[in-house]
């Protein structure tokens, strides 16, 4: 193909115009993945916009490093593949920091402390872990709740473990009696139970779980976002976000208030 000098200049200019927005997008936008039905941590409102405790956190952290966010709707298990493949920079969805996950992912310092719980129908005879012998237990697939249940299934004698793709489907089946109990993070379940009055957390499982922003392994923005979280703790912004979404003050010794070390594998 023969190109005149003028055509070459126009061709080069066209490439530059096409590349400009992509370069700006990469530099200025933090690509975030979120599980869309996990209130009060993240959920979609009636207009289809993400809201929630962790949405406010990631938006504020991004703002402090000079970026905006683009939040994609992903299933819980899909979040791990999305960070690993670098499709997204950050995943939020009350993701517990664990040694196993740190082998393939990076996490900022934690900003929320949690435990798991055993939930049943309010009138169920199941009240403790010991009562689950011979029972069907439901979990969110890929969650730490699933890990705990499978680790205890043989010793505690659960008859079956059913995995669900969404917390909503898990709790709907619990309400309908298709599973005898659900094991999941307490904050999300208790928030749901303000509307599902027939369900209740019967026993707290002390796990010492903590949530952080999950990122692609050794992501170049890890340090900057972690520093932003530190600043948000020091100036009270994180405590204010907690108050907004949970209606209570974060404990003074919690990771919502105290600066914490960067998790290491």
């Amino acid at each position: 193909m023969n190109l005149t000098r003028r055509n070459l200049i126009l061709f080069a200019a066209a490439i530059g115009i096409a590349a400009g927005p992509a370069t700006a997008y990469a530099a200025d936008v933090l690509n975030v993945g979120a599980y869309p039905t996990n209130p009060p941590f993240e959920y979609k409102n009636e207009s289809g916009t993400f809201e929630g405790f962790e949405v406010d956190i990631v938006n504020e952290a991004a703002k402090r490093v000079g970026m905006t966010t683009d939040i994609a709707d992903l299933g819980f298990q899909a979040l791990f593949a999305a960070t690993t493949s670098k499709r997204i920079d950050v995943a939020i969805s009350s993701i517990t920091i664990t040694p196993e996950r740190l082998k393939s992912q990076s996490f900022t310092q934690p900003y929320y402390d949690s435990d798991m719980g055993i939930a049943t129908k309010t009138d169920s005879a199941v009240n403790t872990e010991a009562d689950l012998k011979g029972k069907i237990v439901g979990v969110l697939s890929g969650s730490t709740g699933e890990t705990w249940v499978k680790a205890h299934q043989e010793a505690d004698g659960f008859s079956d473990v059913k995995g669900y793709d969404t917390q909503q489907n898990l709790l709907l089946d619990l309400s309908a009696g298709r599973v005898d109990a659900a094991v999941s993070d307490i904050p999300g379940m208790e928030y749901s139970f303000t509307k599902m009055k027939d369900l209740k957390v019967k026993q707290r499982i002390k796990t010492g779980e903590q949530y952080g922003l999950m990122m692609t392994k050794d992501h170049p923005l890890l340090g900057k976002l972690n520093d932003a979280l530190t600043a948000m703790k020091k100036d009270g912004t994180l405590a204010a976000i907690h108050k907004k979404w949970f209606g209570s003050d974060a404990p003074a010794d919690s990771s919502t208030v105290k600066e914490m070390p960067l998790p290491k594998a």
Side-chain angles (χ1 to χ4, degrees), residues 6-265:
R6 181 174 181 275
N7 285 338
L8 281 169
I9 292 171
L10 290 173
F11 183 63
I15 292 174
I17 291 170
T23 302
Y25 179 86
D28 300 336
V29 178
L30 188 70
N31 295 308
V32 180
Y35 174 55
T37 53
N38 186 36
F41 294 94
E42 45 274 315
Y43 64 94
K44 281 188 170 181
N45 60 25
E46 292 181 357
S47 67
T49 302
F50 272 100
E51 292 184 348
F53 175 69
E54 289 181 299
V55 175
D56 282 358
I57 289 174
V58 76
N59 283 342
E60 178 64 22
K63 178 182 176 182
R64 293 186 183 217
V65 299
M67 303 179 78
T68 58
T69 60
D70 181 26
I71 305 179
D73 177 339
L74 296 173
F76 185 77
Q77 287 182 294
L79 293 170
F80 298 87
T83 50
T84 300
S85 66
K86 301 183 180 180
R87 176 184 170 190
I88 59 175
D89 302 299
V90 176
I92 54 172
S93 288
S94 53
I95 304 173
T96 302
I97 303 165
T98 69
E100 186 64 29
R101 288 172 177 169
L102 283 166
K103 293 176 183 178
S104 58
Q105 312 283 343
S106 286
F107 282 86
T108 63
Q109 64 180 290
Y111 48 70
Y112 190 85
D113 303 337
S114 180
D115 287 319
M116 286 188 296
I118 297 170
T120 71
K121 295 187 74 170
T122 304
D123 59 359
S124 170
V126 174
N127 293 300
T128 67
E129 181 181 340
D131 298 327
L132 292 175
K133 185 175 182 178
K135 304 298 185 183
I136 301 171
V137 182
V139 295
L140 177 64
S141 295
S143 69
T144 51
E146 179 182 45
T147 301
W148 185 91
V149 167
K150 288 186 174 180
H152 288 75
Q153 182 175 9
E154 184 175 351
D156 288 347
F158 311 148
S159 65
D160 193 17
V161 177
K162 292 185 67 176
Y164 291 83
D165 58 347
T166 69
Q167 181 96 327
Q168 181 181 20
N169 288 340
L170 165 60
L171 297 180
L172 286 173
D173 264 17
L174 178 61
S175 182
R178 286 185 279 270
V179 294
D180 299 299
V183 174
S184 191
D185 296 332
I186 286 178
M189 289 198 296
E190 288 189 334
Y191 184 87
S192 296
F193 297 167
T194 61
K195 299 177 177 63
M196 304 175 77
K197 302 296 186 181
D198 61 330
L199 301 179
K200 183 180 181 180
V201 175
K202 296 286 189 71
Q203 181 179 335
R204 178 176 289 268
I205 302 170
K206 296 293 289 183
T207 58
E209 293 184 66
Q210 295 181 311
Y211 306 154
L213 300 179
M214 186 174 77
M215 305 183 69
T216 301
K217 188 69 173 176
D218 300 323
H219 195 290
L221 289 173
L222 175 64
K224 289 184 177 181
L225 289 174
N226 191 70
D227 288 346
L229 291 176
T230 295
M232 290 163 64
K233 291 180 181 185
K234 288 181 175 179
D235 67 18
T237 300
L238 247 170
I241 294 173
H242 183 283
K243 180 81 170 181
K244 171 185 174 180
W245 288 103
F246 295 99
S248 61
D249 293 326
D253 62 346
S254 71
S255 65
T256 306
V257 177
K258 291 178 62 177
E259 181 181 357
M260 306 291 285
L262 198 65
K264 301 294 184 182

